Amino acid sequence: MRTDAIIRFDHVSKSYGENLVLADFNLSINKGEFVTVIGSSGSGKTTMLKMINGLLTPTLGTIYVDGKDIARENQTLLRRNIGYVIQGIGLFPHMNVRKNIAYVPELLNRRDKKRTARAVERLIEVVGLEREMLERYPAELSGGQRQRIGIARALAANPEILLMDEPFGAVDEITRKMLQNEIARIHQTLGVTIVFITHDIKEALKLGTRILVMNKGKVEQDGTPEEITLSPATAFVKELVQIN
Ligand SMILES: Nc1ncnc2c1ncn2[C@@H]1O[C@H](COP(=O)(O)OP(=O)(O)OP(=O)(O)O)[C@@H](O)[C@H]1O
Ligand SMILES: [Mg+2]
């Protein structure tokens, strides 16, 4: 067993009723990796991601985070250690940006308001936005700006792991490039472990230190961008990288 794994799926299967979505899935992710996950629609990517923070539970098998079986952990504490960013992240519409980002840190250190205020000002810079944005409401932001606030909020509890499910799917090409550069920089500077689902093979190859190609609940290939492009393991992977 690899002891340095921060996330490990050990013989995990997941069914919805009769429908087996993941069959005997095994995966070990080390601290600091940036894993991009790409594959056909319905191949089980979101299901896999949601099992890491306990939003879904495996039908069979065990998932370990930091070496601990998450089924035995306190789910609230588990989720605090794992940021979660989805497309069009649900910001609280009645709270301004400052309140949105401060939401979790305020829960964590109720007494130290200054500490939370400092964290919020640091985070807004981390995601490349101006401080004046802090007083705005979500409805007063562009889609790309909202996405950045979603990332800032996910980073606010200082998580070890960041799960991202097609986070940049709904923004234009230019904003998408900027967000990609931002997340690459965040990964390098904070050293956070990232699992990032995308439908865009270019995005998967650009961001991932490791790429997981999934099809029908199975891993077709698990490798570096070079391995995926230079020696695709299956016809499915070959076709995927040819689009690139
Ligand atoms: N709550 C649910 N109940 C029943 N079936 C579900 C449920 N959630 C997902 N599924 C089914 O499980 C399969 C995998 O879904 P999942 O959302 O993990 O796919 P995905 O790889 O994320 O797809 P996409 O790329 O379209 O987002 C699909 O066939 C889906 O219809
Ligand atoms: Mg999905």
Side-chain angles (χ1 to χ4, degrees), residues 45-60:
K45 303 180 296 295
T46 297
T47 301
M48 183 272 283
L49 203 71
K50 283 183 167 174
M51 286 197 283
I52 299 172
N53 62 2
L55 290 178
L56 291 171
T57 49
T59 310
L60 287 173

Side-chain angles (χ1 to χ4, degrees), residues 96-103 105-106 113-135 149 152-153 155-156 185:
N96 66 14
V97 167
R98 183 187 298 279
K99 289 264 175 218
N100 264 284
I101 301 175
Y103 189 75
E106 252 167 23
K113 292 231 162 76
K114 281 207 180 118
R115 188 172 154 193
T116 298
R118 278 198 304 273
V120 169
E121 311 228 316
R122 181 179 58 80
L123 283 162
I124 198 83
E125 276 177 24
V126 165
V127 297
L129 290 177
E130 303 291 327
R131 283 190 188 179
E132 57 168 20
M133 291 274 169
L134 289 172
E135 313 316 322
I149 304 302
R153 200 174 65 171
L155 290 170
R185 198 178 50 75

Side-chain angles (χ1 to χ4, degrees), residues 22-34:
L22 281 181
D24 196 26
F25 184 83
N26 293 286
L27 176 69
S28 190
I29 297 174
N30 289 336
K31 217 175 167 67
E33 281 195 289
F34 193 142

Side-chain angles (χ1 to χ4, degrees), residues 45-47 165-166 197 199:
K45 303 180 296 295
T46 297
T47 301
D165 196 344
E166 300 188 40
I197 299 177
H199 269 122

Side-chain angles (χ1 to χ4, degrees), residues 146-174:
R146 272 200 288 271
Q147 224 38 34
R148 285 170 193 248
I149 304 302
I151 295 168
R153 200 174 65 171
L155 290 170
N158 214 358
E160 274 193 295
I161 298 169
L162 198 54
L163 306 178
M164 307 184 84
D165 196 344
E166 300 188 40
F168 311 149
V171 296
D172 66 86
E173 205 50 39
I174 295 165

